[in-house]
Amino acid sequence: MLTVLKPVFAMGGLGMLGALVHKAGAGELKTTLVEALPLLPWVVLIELGRQTCDATATRLSYGARAGQVPLAVLMRAQLIGTAVSSMAPAGRTAAEATKATLLTPYTGGAAAAAAAATSQSASLGAGGLISFPCALAAYVMTGWSAFTIAMLVHGFVLLLASLGVRAGLRAKRMGAWMRRRCGKWGTHAEAFQASVCAGGLCPWRPMMAFLGSRVLQVMQYAVLAHAVGIDASVVQALFTQGLYLVALAMGSLVPGQVGVTDGMFSLAAGAMGTTAAKAMSIALLAHTVQAVFVLVGALTPLVWRAKAKVAAAAPVVPPVLPAPV
């Protein structure tokens, strides 16, 4: 269903973007974007750092099996996953599933699926944690505004979702249900839950890696704000990051959040002390960097071939399951 609706959401996003550009003034937008271009390579460089943090988080999600994944294979999967994340509905989930598929030959399907679930939970947790300083920045700039409340709610919802995903997959009843439903694949279901139950309820190590990625993203928005002539203080950068996260949640079904992010920034132009054209320019420049990595990720399978490998069979370790919930 989402695949069918994706073109509809994409067209809707592009239509919204066109309306916003017309309202903000194409001339001012063009001037602002041209003046900002010289600083764009720095944003791309920071994005490479973000990709490294995200790949590290994925690797940490594999726990004891992390050593079975070659670094080159991991980076290839990260680049491809980034393209999927930007263009597919519910992008982060689709990206983690894509990376798990690409890494399955090296770790086995159960371990890869468990790592994808752990990585998804860690990503949600990191997004929740960074939302709170963003909400504080919004409060400093706007008081108890809709922006402040939205960022606070976003933070709490993501943290609860992060813990909920982990708790649900670790629950004894869930394990029994998977074994019943999977039939002949019951052994794989048992191995999946054994992998998920490794470590604590909160996957701190991959979460901290994802949090590092979000901190680098705050730096990206500081550079972009400076590039378009807006105050590049820490408070402003955190506020801008918060706007992006809320727009990401609202426009998760729109490829690349095109139109949604731009609209959010345009609405916040007054709070940022600038014009709608300059505020939108930040989002448009971010889309440009995103498009570069989408192109790289899309070309990666064509120019970077992975050698076929079959994961060695590993004994299933019976999971130490928590009490029924």
Side-chain angles (χ1 to χ4, degrees):
M1 183 65 176
L2 287 178
T3 303
V4 174
L5 291 177
K6 185 168 68 172
V8 177
F9 288 121
M11 292 302 295
L14 289 173
M16 184 184 298
L17 178 60
L20 289 168
V21 169
H22 177 74
K23 183 178 179 180
E28 185 180 355
L29 273 170
K30 179 180 177 181
T31 301
T32 304
L33 292 172
V34 170
E35 292 176 351
L37 286 178
L39 288 179
L40 212 55
W42 291 103
V43 183
V44 173
L45 184 62
I46 297 173
E47 182 63 25
L48 289 173
R50 289 194 63 236
Q51 294 296 319
T52 301
C53 287
D54 286 357
T56 300
T58 297
R59 183 177 177 83
L60 292 172
S61 296
Y62 278 86
R65 284 182 174 264
Q68 295 176 239
V69 182
L71 290 178
V73 173
L74 177 63
M75 289 309 301
R76 179 179 181 273
Q78 176 62 37
L79 291 173
I80 297 172
T82 297
V84 172
S85 176
S86 298
M87 302 309 297
R92 172 61 68 176
T93 303
E96 294 303 335
T98 299
K99 287 192 279 187
T101 300
L102 293 170
L103 299 180
T104 289
Y106 298 86
T107 64
T118 298
S119 187
Q120 175 71 12
S121 174
S123 176
L124 290 170
L129 289 176
I130 198 67
S131 293
F132 294 116
C134 293
L136 179 60
Y139 177 76
V140 170
M141 293 179 64
T142 66
W144 285 109
S145 66
F147 296 117
T148 304
I149 294 172
M151 292 176 199
L152 279 175
V153 171
H154 183 266
F156 281 115
V157 169
L158 260 63
L159 282 179
L160 289 174
S162 173
L163 294 175
V165 167
R166 288 283 287 179
L169 292 176
R170 290 160 59 91
K172 185 176 182 179
R173 290 178 182 175
M174 175 61 76
W177 180 85
M178 286 193 297
R179 285 189 288 275
R180 287 197 307 270
R181 296 289 294 179
C182 291
K184 65 179 182 179
W185 299 101
T187 302
H188 296 283
E190 186 177 355
F192 168 83
Q193 192 168 51
S195 298
V196 172
C197 288
L201 176 63
C202 183
W204 284 110
R205 294 179 70 196
M207 188 183 293
M208 289 301 102
F210 276 125
L211 186 60
S213 175
R214 291 300 184 191
V215 171
L216 287 176
Q217 195 169 47
V218 173
M219 293 175 59
Q220 282 183 315
Y221 279 114
V223 173
L224 290 173
H226 176 71
V228 302
I230 302 176
D231 172 33
S233 67
V234 174
V235 171
Q236 183 76 272
L238 284 168
F239 178 68
T240 308
Q241 168 74 358
L243 291 176
Y244 166 76
L245 291 174
V246 172
L248 182 64
M250 293 175 62
S252 60
L253 297 180
V254 180
Q257 292 74 54
V258 173
V260 181
T261 307
D262 313 87
M264 182 67 70
F265 277 64
S266 180
L267 283 174
M272 297 169 69
T274 188
T275 64
K278 287 191 175 183
M280 275 186 60
S281 295
I282 296 177
L284 290 170
L285 290 167
H287 289 321
T288 302
V289 174
Q290 183 183 42
V292 169
F293 281 86
V294 167
L295 179 61
V296 171
L299 292 176
T300 295
L302 302 177
V303 301
W304 187 351
R305 301 284 184 175
K307 293 182 179 180
K309 177 180 173 63
V310 178
V316 175
V317 180
V320 180
L321 301 176
V325 295

